[in-house]
């Protein structure tokens, strides 16, 4: 009885077979069928390899949220060379609350303003990359993915000891400021602190020595990351007038970066440049110098590196193999 019930069950299952098999005696091989099979297997192998390369690729996902962190400090990284002697210039930061930030974190180093051929080549290459980044925004994702592999973006040191006079001042270092709008300015005279605000002692500096030609080797906000190129890196401004004012209006966007190589809290920024000649008789008032006015955005950007999950890769791979197999089978019929 058990054997009969098993046979009935097997016969019932066989009747439900949606993929009936053809007897081998009715199957006939041919040269055309072999050619189609060979092409099908080649296409499967090629598409499987290409799909594997797609699986290995990653992409950057951008998410936007409101920045709720107002209590933390904002780090400003500075490396600017001014074509004046260090004893004649001073740098300080004044924020929106009229709080003068001490510039103890900044160092004044006498240097030569003119670049060596090797340094000039580095700067031209950096400016070329900057232009490409402005035209091809997708290149920024490449920089995010290869941060730790990126070449150092700092100006290379002079390869030989020059006998030229040290006619410029390199102001470099970092300072921590409140996350409010502020103004970093480099102008004539050393800054002094007093309850009514701030001032620069410029009375003993001859007007003929004013020269605010400058080069921004590096300017960034937040944690410094290797390989990142910021919008003002490599910027050089030359003036032959003693009364020139340079202004940079910056909007800073807090950014959380999460890739498979690094995780960091940094900041992106956009900048608008302006320069004008100070001429009080013509109504152009102000003070000669370099002014970087920054403000923080209320939005925060989270940039995360995404990868195709393994199950999705297997489903796509099965779809490729099954689709080609079914299509070539129909062709052979």
């Amino acid at each position: 009885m058990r054997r009969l019930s098993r046979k009935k069950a097997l016969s019932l299952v066989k009747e439900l077979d949606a993929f009936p098999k053809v007897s081998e005696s009715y199957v006939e091989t041919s040269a055309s069928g072999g050619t189609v099979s060979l092409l099908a297997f080649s296409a499967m192998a090629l598409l499987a390899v290409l799909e594997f390369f797609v699986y290995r690729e990653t992409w950057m996902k951008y998410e936007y949220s409101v920045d709720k962190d107002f209590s933390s400090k904002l780090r400003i990284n500075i490396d600017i060379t001014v074509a004046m002697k260090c004893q004649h210039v001073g740098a300080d930061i004044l924020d929106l609350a009229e709080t003068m930030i001490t510039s103890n974190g900044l160092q004044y180093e006498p240097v030569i303003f003119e670049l060596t051929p090797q340094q000039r080549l580095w700067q031209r290459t950096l400016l070329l990359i900057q232009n490409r980044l402005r035209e091809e925004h997708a290149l920024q994702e490449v920089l995010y993915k290869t941060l730790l592999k990126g070449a150092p973006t700092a100006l290379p040191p002079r390869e030989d000891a020059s006998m030229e006079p040290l006619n410029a001042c390199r102001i470099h270092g970092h300072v921590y400021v409140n996350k409010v709008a502020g103004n970093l300015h480099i102008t004539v005279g050393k800054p002094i602190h007093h309850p009514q605000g701030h001032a620069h002692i410029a009375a003993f500096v001859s007007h003929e020595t004013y020269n605010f030609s400058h080069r921004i080797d590096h300017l960034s906000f937040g944690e410094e990351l290797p390989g990142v190129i910021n919008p003002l890196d490599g910027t050089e401004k030359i003036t032959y007038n003693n009364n020139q004012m340079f202004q940079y209006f910056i909007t800073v966007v807090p950014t959380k970066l999460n890739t498979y190589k690094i995780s960091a809290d940094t900041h992106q920024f956009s900048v608008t440049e302006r320069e004008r000649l100070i001429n009080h008789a013509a109504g152009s008032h102000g003070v000669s110098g370099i002014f970087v006015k920054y403000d923080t955005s209320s939005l925060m950007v989270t940039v995360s590196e995404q990868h195709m999950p393994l199950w999705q890769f297997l489903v796509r791979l099965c779809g490729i193999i099954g689709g080609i197999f079914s299509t070539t089978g129909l062709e052979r019929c």
Side-chain angles (χ1 to χ4, degrees):
M1 295 294 292
R2 290 182 180 178
R3 290 183 179 178
L4 290 175
S5 59
R6 272 187 192 176
K7 288 182 178 180
K8 286 182 180 180
L10 289 174
S11 62
L12 181 61
V13 171
K14 286 182 179 179
E15 290 178 1
L16 296 175
D17 186 7
F19 307 96
K21 305 297 185 294
V22 180
S23 177
E24 291 186 2
S25 59
Y26 295 102
V27 177
E28 185 177 311
T29 59
S30 62
S32 61
T35 304
V36 172
S37 299
L38 185 61
L39 292 175
F41 290 136
S42 300
M44 288 180 192
L46 178 62
L47 292 178
V49 171
L50 294 177
E51 189 65 27
F52 177 72
F53 284 121
V54 172
Y55 169 71
R56 290 184 57 191
E57 283 295 319
T58 60
W59 66 91
M60 307 308 293
K61 181 180 179 182
Y62 296 84
E63 297 176 311
Y64 302 90
S65 59
V66 177
D67 183 19
K68 300 179 181 179
D69 183 13
F70 301 105
S71 59
S72 63
K73 296 290 185 177
L74 175 64
R75 170 170 166 160
I76 305 180
N77 309 296
I78 304 166
D79 192 348
I80 301 177
T81 302
V82 186
M84 291 180 65
K85 293 184 177 181
C86 290
Q87 61 264 33
H88 295 161
V89 294
D92 62 342
I93 300 175
L94 191 69
D95 65 17
L96 191 63
E98 297 296 323
T99 302
M100 186 174 179
I101 309 299
T102 177
S103 56
N104 292 338
L106 299 180
Q107 302 177 23
Y108 295 80
E109 178 184 349
V111 294
I112 300 172
F113 188 76
E114 290 298 324
L115 298 177
T116 64
Q118 179 186 0
Q119 291 176 325
R120 183 63 65 182
L121 177 62
W122 171 88
Q123 188 196 34
R124 289 174 181 172
T125 305
L126 183 59
L127 292 178
L128 179 62
I129 297 174
Q130 290 279 30
N131 292 332
R132 291 298 302 272
L133 284 172
R134 294 188 184 99
E135 297 172 1
E136 303 289 342
H137 298 288
L139 290 178
Q140 185 63 48
E141 293 192 2
V142 179
L143 291 179
Y144 281 147
K145 294 178 186 179
T146 58
L147 283 181
L148 297 180
K149 297 181 181 178
T153 55
L155 180 70
R158 303 183 77 89
E159 56 270 20
D160 55 352
S162 177
M163 300 303 294
E164 297 181 31
L166 303 177
N167 58 353
C169 184
R170 179 189 174 205
I171 304 173
H172 61 98
H174 64 271
V175 292
Y176 290 91
V177 300
N178 299 319
K179 291 184 70 173
V180 295
N183 183 5
L184 161 67
H185 47 275
I186 302 173
T187 187
V188 178
K190 298 298 180 183
I192 58 173
H193 304 262
H194 61 85
Q196 300 299 323
H198 80 290
H200 288 255
I201 304 177
F204 304 104
V205 181
S206 172
H207 186 266
E208 300 299 324
T209 63
Y210 287 19
N211 184 2
F212 285 100
S213 299
H214 63 279
R215 183 176 58 253
I216 303 176
D217 295 322
H218 181 78
L219 180 66
S220 65
F221 297 82
E223 182 181 348
E224 286 191 88
L225 298 177
V228 170
I229 299 176
N230 296 282
L232 286 175
D233 291 356
T235 300
E236 186 176 54
K237 299 290 185 180
I238 304 297
T239 180
Y240 298 98
N241 196 292
N242 299 334
N243 296 323
Q244 195 75 15
M245 172 192 281
F246 296 93
Q247 292 175 304
Y248 300 93
F249 300 92
I250 291 177
T251 301
V252 183
V253 181
T255 304
K256 288 184 177 292
L257 185 61
N258 298 309
T259 70
Y260 290 104
K261 293 184 175 67
I262 192 171
S263 179
D265 292 336
T266 183
H267 294 73
Q268 305 177 82
F269 66 89
S270 60
V271 59
T272 301
E273 303 177 22
R274 183 188 178 192
E275 57 182 89
R276 61 187 175 91
L277 182 66
I278 303 300
N279 188 342
H280 299 288
S284 179
H285 303 293
V287 178
S288 304
I290 304 164
F291 299 86
V292 180
K293 299 183 179 182
Y294 61 90
D295 194 4
T296 56
S297 173
S298 59
L299 290 179
M300 181 176 65
V301 181
T302 302
V303 184
S304 55
E305 188 174 6
Q306 301 292 313
H307 188 276
M308 182 189 297
L310 179 61
W311 67 266
Q312 187 175 350
F313 166 69
L314 295 177
V315 169
R316 290 165 63 102
L317 195 62
C318 292
I320 290 173
I321 296 174
I324 294 177
F325 189 81
S326 300
T327 304
T328 54
L330 292 174
E331 290 295 330
R332 291 175 63 184
C333 293

